[in-house]
Amino acid sequence: MQLEDTLQVSLIDHTPDPEFMMGSTASICYDADASREKCINRVKSAVKNDHGMVLRFAYATFRISGISRVCSHQFVRVANAGILQQSQRYVEQTGLRFIDPPALLTIPVDLQERWMRIQSEAKALYGELIGDKLMKKEDARYIIPQGCDTTLVATMNFQAWRHMLHFRTEKHAQWEIREVANRIKQQLEIIAPSVFTEV
């Protein structure tokens, strides 16, 4: 299955009026004017001068589904992120779907068929192991390829999101996390253009 068929990136929560919030919080440092215009300009200046501490005072939370475990492992390595992911220990994985890399279509057909067969056999074996109660879900999950789909929720402050997006939207990033990062960036640009437009 191709990523575009499954991927959903939803902004589920964020700091209300985040640019004003960050700017008014930063005004405390200088006992400065906390008018709306001054606060937003203060955030623009913080971004321009790489004063990331100001960006810690706003957050965003996303629900990301239809990604592979390969991709989710890149999320769990992000510093200062709060992440919850669907558990394979407790959630039965009989409805498994797999995310296939575009490169799969570039290899010989016989190898594509072997790829699909391994996924299908792993899914069937997992189902048999837990269906016949031969193994607990927590043990049977070891057979599942890491290309299986998953869902996670990620919360970060804006400094952490900027850092993550800087590295994950660039052309050398892995294709799947790059697509997820670009979708996150598009939504963050709407709520805080001064912070995310130039990431």
Side-chain angles (χ1 to χ4, degrees), residues 52-72:
M53 178 67 88
V54 171
L55 306 182
R56 294 182 187 175
F57 290 89
Y59 71 91
T61 302
F62 286 87
R63 183 180 193 276
I64 303 154
S65 60
I67 60 171
S68 69
R69 286 249 168 189
V70 172
C71 184
S72 74

Side-chain angles (χ1 to χ4, degrees), residues 47 83 93 96 157:
V47 170
I83 297 172
Q93 301 293 299
L96 278 175
N157 66 44

Side-chain angles (χ1 to χ4, degrees), residues 69-87:
R69 286 249 168 189
V70 172
C71 184
S72 74
H73 294 329
Q74 295 180 67
F75 262 100
V76 299
R77 292 196 311 268
V78 175
N80 304 309
I83 297 172
L84 294 174
Q85 183 173 13
Q86 184 184 74
S87 171

Side-chain angles (χ1 to χ4, degrees), residues 20 23-25 27-28 31-39 42:
F20 176 69
S24 62
T25 303
S27 71
I28 294 168
D31 194 23
D33 183 345
S35 67
R36 180 172 192 76
E37 181 181 353
K38 293 285 188 182
C39 286
R42 193 170 294 117

Side-chain angles (χ1 to χ4, degrees), residues 100-119:
D100 297 317
L104 179 63
L105 301 176
T106 67
I107 63 174
V109 173
D110 64 315
L111 296 179
Q112 292 180 37
E113 290 171 353
R114 284 175 58 194
W115 177 288
M116 299 296 185
R117 187 168 54 250
I118 288 169
Q119 289 178 337

Side-chain angles (χ1 to χ4, degrees), residues 92 126-137 140:
E92 195 171 287
Y126 171 87
E128 189 176 333
L129 291 170
I130 64 166
D132 292 344
K133 301 199 182 327
L134 299 170
M135 276 188 179
K136 294 178 180 179
K137 292 187 289 289

